[in-house]
Amino acid sequence: MSGTSRHIRKNRTDWDGYSDEYQRKHARQLNRFDAPRWGTYGIPEKKLNVLGNLAGKDVLEFGCGAAQWSITLARLGARPVGLDLSIRQLAHARALMRRARVRVPLVNGSGEQLPFADQRFDVVFCDHGAMTFADPFETVPEAARVLRPGGLFVFNIESVFHFVCWNSDKEEADDRLHRDYFDVWRDEFEGSVTFNLPYGEWIRLFRANGLDVEDLVELRPSVRARSTYEEFVTPGWARRWPAENIWKLRKR
C-alpha cells in the first residue's frame, strides 16, 4: 500500500480490526450475487440504471471491501478489479470468490494513490468504499486519471442531508440540523475518518478534473424496505430525506 497519510493508516487499522464483525453482521444483505444492489437498502441497479451494461468492460471497484459487487459484475460478464485499503477485507473477498467460483484480481492500496496506468478502465465505481474513506481532493483526480475518455465514474456516498442531521448525542439522524453544512470535508471518529463535500464543491472538483455530471440519484428505499444498516439510517428517515446519493459522471 503506497499511501502513508494519517487518515489512511487509521482507516486501514480500523477496517482490518472491524472487518470480521462487519462481514458477519451484513452477510445476509451483502452476499447475494444474483444482481447488483446499491446502498444501505440494497436498491437494485436494474431500477436505477446508473452503470448500464458492463459486459466486456474493464471496471475498477474503488474500495471493494469483500468484493461482493465485483463478484456479481464478473458473473454478468464484466472484467472487474477490486481495490481496497484493508488486507483483512481482501481476505474475506478471496473466501467469497472461492465460494462463488469467481476469480477477480484484488489489489491492496489506497484510492488516493492508485497503482494503475493512465486510462486503464472503462468504469470506476464504488458503493461507499474509497469515496467515503479517502480524501476526495485526491481520489477524484486519481479516478479521472485511470478512466478512458468517455468512461464512467459512479459512486454512492452518504448525503449531506444525513450528515447535517446527524445527532451525535443520540447517534442517529433526526429532523433537525445539528452540524455545519460547510464543514463536511473531514469527519474524524475514534476509529476512522470519513469525507464528504457540499454539493457545489463536488461539482467544481469534478469539472476541474474533466468530469461532467450526468446524474445525481438520491436513494429512497421502498415502503417495505429493511436493512442490516438500520442503525445508520432508519427506513422512515430515508423515505423522507435522502440518506445516500449516487453521483454519475462522464470523463470528457
Side-chain angles (χ1 to χ4, degrees):
M1 193 199 70
S2 55
T4 56
S5 298
R6 178 177 172 273
H7 67 264
I8 293 175
R9 296 194 301 270
K10 185 171 183 176
N11 284 338
R12 177 183 58 185
T13 299
D14 184 59
W15 275 106
D16 281 344
Y18 178 48
S19 178
D20 292 357
E21 177 185 348
Y22 178 87
Q23 294 299 331
R24 281 194 304 270
K25 185 174 184 179
H26 301 294
R28 175 171 54 87
Q29 181 163 326
L30 295 179
N31 297 350
R32 301 166 62 188
F33 306 126
D34 56 325
R37 295 175 176 85
W38 287 101
T40 55
Y41 281 86
I43 299 174
E45 159 65 14
K46 67 180 180 181
K47 178 179 179 180
L48 302 177
N49 194 31
V50 288
L51 290 173
N53 184 3
L54 298 183
K57 294 186 177 181
D58 295 312
V59 179
L60 174 63
E61 187 175 2
F62 203 36
C64 65
Q68 287 96 341
W69 262 92
S70 285
I71 292 169
T72 304
L73 295 182
R75 284 184 158 186
L76 295 175
R79 295 192 296 266
V81 174
L83 173 103
D84 203 84
L85 192 62
S86 166
I87 292 173
R88 187 59 188 159
Q89 285 280 70
L90 294 179
H92 283 283
R94 293 185 182 94
L96 286 177
M97 283 192 289
R98 288 192 295 270
R99 170 179 151 188
R101 298 183 180 180
V102 169
R103 300 184 71 176
V104 174
L106 299 174
V107 178
N108 177 228
S110 167
E112 298 183 19
Q113 296 173 299
L114 293 177
F116 304 111
D118 295 356
Q119 301 184 19
R120 166 69 174 81
F121 297 99
D122 300 302
V123 178
V124 176
F125 86 99
C126 63
D127 196 357
H128 293 275
M131 293 306 295
T132 291
F133 294 99
D135 185 346
F137 291 104
E138 303 294 335
T139 54
V140 170
E142 279 293 88
R145 179 182 67 79
V146 301
L147 270 177
R148 292 168 182 149
L152 276 178
F153 181 26
V154 178
F155 63 93
N156 181 35
I157 56 169
E158 178 188 15
S159 77
V160 179
F161 280 93
H162 192 261
F163 180 93
V164 298
C165 289
W166 185 259
N167 186 327
S168 297
D169 294 332
K170 296 182 178 180
E171 294 190 345
E172 64 180 20
D174 59 26
D175 60 357
R176 297 289 184 271
L177 301 179
H178 296 280
R179 312 176 75 177
D180 292 344
Y181 173 79
F182 293 107
D183 190 28
V184 301
W185 170 61
R186 179 186 176 111
D187 204 18
E188 187 151 358
F189 304 94
E190 182 178 349
S192 63
V193 182
T194 64
F195 295 85
N196 210 322
L197 289 173
Y199 291 113
E201 193 71 23
W202 277 121
I203 291 169
R204 287 185 287 276
L205 180 59
F206 298 148
R207 290 179 61 82
N209 286 279
L211 298 165
D212 293 327
V213 177
E214 290 197 347
D215 206 349
L216 175 64
V217 181
E218 295 168 308
L219 299 187
R220 190 186 193 200
S222 68
V223 174
R224 297 180 180 179
R226 292 295 178 266
S227 172
T228 59
Y229 294 90
E230 287 186 16
E231 65 182 28
F232 171 72
V233 58
T234 64
W237 198 98
R239 282 199 52 80
R240 296 183 68 192
W241 304 283
E244 304 165 275
N245 56 244
I246 300 173
W247 287 101
K248 180 178 179 179
L249 312 158
R250 182 83 59 180
K251 183 175 178 178
R252 293 182 212 127

